[in-house]
Coordinates of all heavy atoms in Angstrom, one line a residue:
E1 N 94.7 94.1 94.2 CA 94.7 95.5 94.9 C 95.4 95.2 96.3 O 95.3 94.1 96.9 CB 93.3 95.9 95.1 CG 93.2 97.2 95.8 CD 91.7 97.6 96.1 OE1 90.8 96.9 95.5 OE2 91.5 98.5 96.9
I2 N 96.1 96.3 96.7 CA 96.7 96.2 98.1 C 96.4 97.5 98.8 O 96.6 98.6 98.2 CB 98.2 96.1 98.0 CG1 98.7 95.0 97.2 CG2 98.8 96.0 99.4 CD1 100.2 95.0 96.8
N3 N 95.7 97.4 99.9 CA 95.5 98.6 100.7 C 96.0 98.4 102.2 O 96.6 97.4 102.4 CB 94.0 99.0 100.7 CG 93.1 98.0 101.3 OD1 93.3 97.4 102.3 ND2 91.9 97.7 100.5
V4 N 95.7 99.3 103.0 CA 96.2 99.3 104.4 C 95.7 98.0 105.1 O 96.5 97.5 105.9 CB 95.8 100.6 105.2 CG1 96.3 100.5 106.6 CG2 96.5 101.8 104.5
F5 N 94.5 97.6 104.8 CA 93.9 96.5 105.7 C 93.9 95.2 105.0 O 94.1 94.2 105.6 CB 92.5 96.9 106.0 CG 92.4 98.1 106.9 CD1 92.0 99.3 106.3 CD2 92.7 98.2 108.2 CE1 91.9 100.5 107.1 CE2 92.7 99.3 109.0 CZ 92.2 100.5 108.4
V6 N 93.7 95.1 103.7 CA 93.6 93.8 103.0 C 94.3 93.8 101.7 O 94.7 94.8 101.1 CB 92.1 93.5 102.8 CG1 91.3 93.3 104.0 CG2 91.4 94.6 101.9
T7 N 94.5 92.5 101.2 CA 95.1 92.3 99.9 C 94.1 91.5 99.1 O 93.6 90.5 99.5 CB 96.4 91.5 100.0 OG1 97.4 92.3 100.6 CG2 97.0 91.2 98.6
H8 N 93.8 91.9 97.9 CA 92.9 91.2 97.0 C 93.8 90.4 96.0 O 94.6 91.0 95.2 CB 92.1 92.2 96.2 CG 91.2 93.1 97.1 ND1 89.8 93.0 97.2 CD2 91.5 94.1 97.9 CE1 89.4 93.9 98.0 NE2 90.3 94.6 98.5
I9 N 93.5 89.1 95.9 CA 94.1 88.3 94.8 C 93.0 87.6 94.1 O 91.9 87.3 94.7 CB 95.1 87.3 95.4 CG1 94.4 86.4 96.3 CG2 96.3 88.1 96.1 CD1 95.4 85.3 96.9
E10 N 93.2 87.3 92.9 CA 92.2 86.6 92.0 C 92.8 85.4 91.4 O 93.9 85.4 90.9 CB 91.7 87.6 90.9 CG 90.5 87.1 90.1 CD 90.0 88.1 89.2 OE1 90.0 89.4 89.5 OE2 89.7 87.8 88.0
S11 N 91.9 84.3 91.4 CA 92.4 83.1 90.7 C 91.1 82.4 90.2 O 90.2 82.2 90.9 CB 93.0 82.1 91.8 OG 93.3 80.9 91.2
D12 N 91.2 82.1 88.8 CA 90.1 81.5 88.1 C 88.8 82.2 88.4 O 87.7 81.5 88.8 CB 90.0 80.0 88.6 CG 91.2 79.2 88.2 OD1 91.8 79.5 87.2 OD2 91.6 78.3 88.9
E13 N 88.8 83.5 88.2 CA 87.5 84.3 88.3 C 87.0 84.3 89.7 O 85.8 84.6 90.0 CB 86.5 83.9 87.4 CG 86.9 84.1 85.9 CD 85.8 83.7 84.9 OE1 84.7 83.3 85.4 OE2 86.0 83.9 83.7
V14 N 87.8 83.9 90.8 CA 87.4 84.0 92.1 C 88.3 84.9 92.9 O 89.6 84.8 92.7 CB 87.5 82.6 92.8 CG1 87.2 82.6 94.3 CG2 86.6 81.6 92.1
E15 N 87.7 85.9 93.5 CA 88.5 86.9 94.2 C 88.6 86.6 95.7 O 87.6 86.3 96.4 CB 87.9 88.3 94.1 CG 88.8 89.4 94.7 CD 88.1 90.8 94.6 OE1 86.9 90.9 94.2 OE2 88.8 91.8 94.8
Y16 N 89.9 86.6 96.2 CA 90.1 86.3 97.7 C 90.6 87.6 98.3 O 91.4 88.4 97.8 CB 91.2 85.3 97.8 CG 90.9 83.9 97.3 CD1 91.3 83.6 96.0 CD2 90.2 83.0 98.0 CE1 91.0 82.4 95.4 CE2 89.9 81.8 97.4 CZ 90.3 81.5 96.1 OH 90.0 80.2 95.6
I17 N 90.0 87.9 99.5 CA 90.3 89.1 100.2 C 90.9 88.7 101.5 O 90.3 88.1 102.4 CB 89.0 90.0 100.5 CG1 88.3 90.3 99.2 CG2 89.4 91.2 101.3 CD1 87.0 91.0 99.3
I18 N 92.2 88.9 101.6 CA 93.0 88.4 102.7 C 93.5 89.5 103.6 O 94.1 90.5 103.2 CB 94.3 87.6 102.2 CG1 93.8 86.5 101.2 CG2 95.1 87.1 103.3 CD1 94.9 85.8 100.5
P19 N 93.2 89.5 104.9 CA 93.6 90.5 105.8 C 95.1 90.6 105.9 O 95.8 89.5 105.8 CB 93.0 90.1 107.2 CG 91.8 89.2 106.9 CD 92.3 88.5 105.6
N20 N 95.7 91.7 105.9 CA 97.1 91.9 105.9 C 97.9 91.3 107.0 O 99.1 90.9 106.9 CB 97.5 93.4 105.8 CG 97.2 94.0 104.4 OD1 97.2 93.2 103.4 ND2 96.9 95.2 104.3
Q21 N 97.2 91.1 108.2 CA 98.0 90.4 109.3 C 98.2 89.0 109.0 O 99.2 88.4 109.5 CB 97.2 90.5 110.6 CG 96.0 89.8 110.8 CD 94.7 90.6 110.4 OE1 94.8 91.4 109.5 NE2 93.6 90.3 111.1
R22 N 97.3 88.3 108.2 CA 97.6 87.0 107.7 C 98.8 86.9 106.8 O 99.6 86.0 106.9 CB 96.4 86.4 107.0 CG 95.3 85.9 108.0 CD 94.1 85.4 107.3 NE 94.4 84.3 106.4 CZ 93.7 83.8 105.5 NH1 92.4 84.3 105.3 NH2 94.0 82.8 104.7
V23 N 98.9 87.9 105.9 CA 100.1 88.0 105.0 C 101.3 88.2 105.9 O 102.4 87.5 105.6 CB 99.9 89.2 104.1 CG1 101.1 89.3 103.1 CG2 98.6 89.0 103.3
F24 N 101.3 89.0 106.8 CA 102.5 89.3 107.6 C 102.8 88.1 108.5 O 104.0 87.8 108.7 CB 102.2 90.6 108.5 CG 103.4 91.1 109.2 CD1 104.3 91.8 108.6 CD2 103.6 90.8 110.6 CE1 105.4 92.3 109.2 CE2 104.7 91.3 111.2 CZ 105.7 92.0 110.6
K25 N 101.8 87.4 109.0 CA 102.1 86.3 109.9 C 102.4 85.0 109.2 O 103.4 84.3 109.6 CB 100.8 86.0 110.7 CG 101.0 85.0 111.8 CD 99.7 84.8 112.7 CE 99.8 83.8 113.7 NZ 98.6 83.7 114.6
R26 N 101.7 84.7 108.1 CA 102.0 83.5 107.4 C 103.1 83.6 106.4 O 103.7 82.6 105.9 CB 100.7 83.0 106.7 CG 99.5 82.8 107.6 CD 99.7 81.6 108.5 NE 98.5 81.4 109.4 CZ 98.4 80.4 110.3 NH1 99.4 79.6 110.4 NH2 97.3 80.3 111.0
G27 N 103.3 84.8 105.9 CA 104.3 85.0 104.9 C 103.7 84.8 103.5 O 102.5 84.4 103.3
I28 N 104.5 85.1 102.5 CA 104.0 85.0 101.1 C 105.0 84.2 100.2 O 106.2 84.1 100.6 CB 103.8 86.4 100.4 CG1 105.1 87.2 100.4 CG2 102.7 87.2 101.2 CD1 105.0 88.4 99.6
V29 N 104.4 83.6 99.2 CA 105.3 83.0 98.2 C 105.0 83.7 96.9 O 103.9 83.7 96.3 CB 104.9 81.5 98.0 CG1 105.8 80.8 96.9 CG2 105.2 80.8 99.3

């Protein structure tokens, strides 16, 4: 899921909720 504030990613049945400023600052692969 992607919304205005956070991005939800899931790995091995574990969900991570990452603030979008971290995505913007750290970048994505």
Side-chain angles (χ1 to χ4, degrees):
E1 181 184 348
I2 308 168
N3 60 43
V4 174
F5 299 104
V6 295
T7 295
H8 299 251
I9 63 175
E10 185 176 321
S11 176
D12 296 329
E13 298 183 353
V14 177
E15 183 179 15
Y16 299 94
I17 301 171
I18 303 174
N20 284 333
Q21 73 266 33
R22 284 179 57 191
V23 180
F24 190 78
K25 184 177 180 180
R26 303 290 184 180
I28 60 172
V29 177

